[in-house]
Amino acid sequence: MRPALIALDVDGTILDSTGTISPAVLAAIARARAAGAHIVLSTGRTVLGVRAVVTLLGFTDGTALCSNGAVRLNLATGEIIPLATFEPAPVMDRLRAMLPGVTFSLEEPGVGNRVSTGYPGDGSGTRRLVEDHELGATPTTRMIAYWNGVTKAQLAELMDVSPIAGVTWTYDHHSDAWLTVVAEGISKASALEQLRRELGVSPDATVAFGDGHNDIAMLRWAALGVAMGGAAADVRQAADEVTGSVAEDGVATVLDRLFR
């Protein structure tokens, strides 16, 4: 069956480290879209972060799933739909007890992020430095926790034996200790399944591409889950096949095969 819904992670999948989408990948995505497939960006980026990618692709309609599935963006109307939120204060307290010195960034969909003192960056632009009482006072769709001076491997060793009630968490791409937290049960896969049902797409007609820890559920959800070359072992194990890296136009290789 030719795919009818194609979910694309962004960073490290279609977008390289320079912020570029190659001509081969752009052409392959355009051919799949022209053939009638729904192309859905499925990313850990916020709405604000994904808009530049939408512009690169030239999309003026369709859907982007942002913040690891917690927020939906209608590309035609610009409507931002939070799909799930959680109360951050108890999670922050738990993480502070586990990770002394941890700092936080909490999403305000379509507006920016409120951040704690010490969070990397200067707090300018869409980042708003707030006092502790304001940081966790209202629900959020996505929280990023950063533990300075600790590696991702060290963070994983601790988090893998330390469940936190009420939320789902994944590791970021970086080698440093970045943790992305969303509401319990929320993932790229949960948001894609909701969208698939709304679009009336058969489960057998779904494909997903990704390279990160936050893509594992999505790769398992898809009828064909494709891990990018260079992805970590657990990401590869979750996929049905492994394609080339983003530098090798891995997405184009598979799409050209499926839509030849």
Side-chain angles (χ1 to χ4, degrees), residues 11-239:
D11 296 284
T13 297
I14 62 170
L15 197 73
D16 67 19
S17 59
T18 70
T20 301
I21 304 176
S22 76
V25 171
L26 284 171
I29 291 172
R31 282 192 294 272
R33 210 164 188 240
H38 298 281
I39 307 295
V40 180
L41 297 180
S42 185
T43 177
R45 289 184 175 220
T46 65
V47 166
L48 297 178
V50 84
R51 282 177 173 155
V53 184
V54 172
T55 299
L56 287 175
L57 290 165
F59 289 0
T60 57
D61 59 9
T63 302
L65 301 174
C66 308
S67 302
N68 281 356
V71 180
R72 181 189 291 192
L73 173 63
N74 184 315
L75 302 184
T77 66
E79 182 184 14
I80 299 167
I81 306 170
L83 300 179
T85 62
F86 66 96
E87 295 291 342
V91 181
M92 291 164 55
D93 289 344
R94 174 75 172 132
L95 287 173
R96 279 175 169 148
M98 294 165 54
L99 317 173
V102 68
T103 57
F104 301 99
S105 173
L106 281 70
E107 180 184 15
E108 298 172 332
V111 176
N113 299 275
R114 57 187 189 269
V115 303
S116 63
T117 300
Y119 190 81
D122 60 8
S124 63
T126 61
R127 294 153 48 96
R128 184 168 59 92
L129 181 65
V130 300
E131 297 296 329
D132 228 37
H133 69 274
E134 184 180 353
L135 189 66
T138 55
T140 187
T141 45
R142 187 199 74 166
M143 178 171 73
I144 295 180
Y146 174 66
W147 199 17
N148 186 33
V150 177
T151 68
K152 183 168 66 175
Q154 290 171 309
L155 177 66
E157 184 177 358
L158 179 60
M159 294 301 301
D160 286 347
V161 295
S162 307
I164 302 176
V167 295
T168 300
W169 49 263
T170 56
Y171 309 119
D172 207 339
H173 290 276
H174 306 279
S175 59
D176 292 336
W178 298 83
L179 196 73
T180 300
V181 183
V182 293
E184 186 172 19
I186 294 300
S187 66
K188 293 183 179 185
S190 68
L192 283 163
E193 177 60 15
Q194 180 178 334
L195 181 62
R196 180 195 69 77
R197 291 173 180 269
E198 292 174 13
L199 295 173
V201 171
S202 167
D204 295 335
T206 56
V207 179
F209 294 84
D211 74 319
H213 186 245
N214 62 345
D215 296 315
I216 289 175
M218 175 175 77
L219 296 177
R220 290 174 175 159
W221 163 85
L224 176 62
V226 183
M228 302 298 293
D234 56 348
V235 180
R236 290 169 171 256
Q237 290 165 4

Side-chain angles (χ1 to χ4, degrees), residues 13 25 209 226 228-229 243-255:
T13 297
V25 171
F209 294 84
V226 183
M228 302 298 293
T243 186
S245 68
V246 64
E248 298 166 328
D249 296 333
V251 168
T253 299
V254 176
L255 290 182

